[in-house]
Amino acid sequence: AFGEHILRLFPKCPSAVADQIAEHACLKHSGRVGRSAAAKEFEENAISLAVRAHVRHAFTDYDELLLKGHERGDARRTVAGKVEEVLANWRGEEAS
C-alpha cells in the first residue's frame, strides 16, 4: 500500500522504483520513516521523506560526497537541485 501511495503523489515515478522505496522504507526494525506511525497512516510528508531519501541516495552523488568527507548538510545542499529535479519530474511538473 505504501508503494501505491508513492505513485499517487509521484505518478511518473517508475513503479519498480516505487516498490523499491516502499520495501526499503518499511523494513521491519529498521527505524526508517516507513515504519513510523505517520507512514502507516500514509501521511504525505512521511511518504515524501522516503521518496526524497531514495532519490538522494540513488540518483545523485550524495553517498560519494559523504565518502569523500563532506558534512551531511553540505552534501545534501550540493545535491538538492538534482533531487528537486527528479521529484518534479516524478510529480509530472513542467521544467522551469
Side-chain angles (χ1 to χ4, degrees), residues 14 18 26 28 56 70 86 92 96:
C26 298
K28 193 170 185 174
R56 185 182 311 118
H70 291 258
V86 172
S96 53

Side-chain angles (χ1 to χ4, degrees), residues 16 27-28 30 33 41 47 49 54-57 60 67 70 76-77 80 85 96:
L27 284 173
K28 193 170 185 174
S30 68
V33 69
E41 295 296 321
I47 293 167
L49 286 172
H54 180 81
V55 169
R56 185 182 311 118
H57 290 282
T60 73
L67 288 172
H70 291 258
R76 285 183 180 200
R77 283 186 288 281
E85 178 184 316
S96 53

Side-chain angles (χ1 to χ4, degrees), residues 77-89:
R77 283 186 288 281
T78 299
V79 302
K82 178 63 177 173
V83 171
E84 292 306 319
E85 178 184 316
V86 172
L87 295 177
N89 181 281

Side-chain angles (χ1 to χ4, degrees), residues 3-93:
E4 292 172 12
H5 285 276
I6 290 171
L7 292 174
R8 183 178 52 79
L9 295 175
F10 301 95
K12 296 206 175 198
C13 174
S15 59
V17 174
D19 290 343
Q20 286 178 326
I21 295 168
E23 184 176 318
H24 185 74
C26 298
L27 284 173
K28 193 170 185 174
H29 306 297
S30 68
R32 303 217 182 274
V33 69
R35 299 297 298 169
S36 68
K40 290 176 183 176
E41 295 296 321
F42 304 114
E43 289 182 14
E44 187 171 319
N45 188 53
I47 293 167
S48 292
L49 286 172
V51 173
R52 179 176 298 279
H54 180 81
V55 169
R56 185 182 311 118
H57 290 282
F59 293 90
T60 73
D61 60 352
Y62 176 74
D63 292 324
E64 184 178 320
L65 292 171
L66 294 179
L67 288 172
K68 289 181 178 179
H70 291 258
E71 295 293 326
R72 188 172 305 275
D74 291 339
R76 285 183 180 200
R77 283 186 288 281
T78 299
V79 302
K82 178 63 177 173
V83 171
E84 292 306 319
E85 178 184 316
V86 172
L87 295 177
N89 181 281
W90 286 359
R91 285 190 293 262
E93 297 172 356

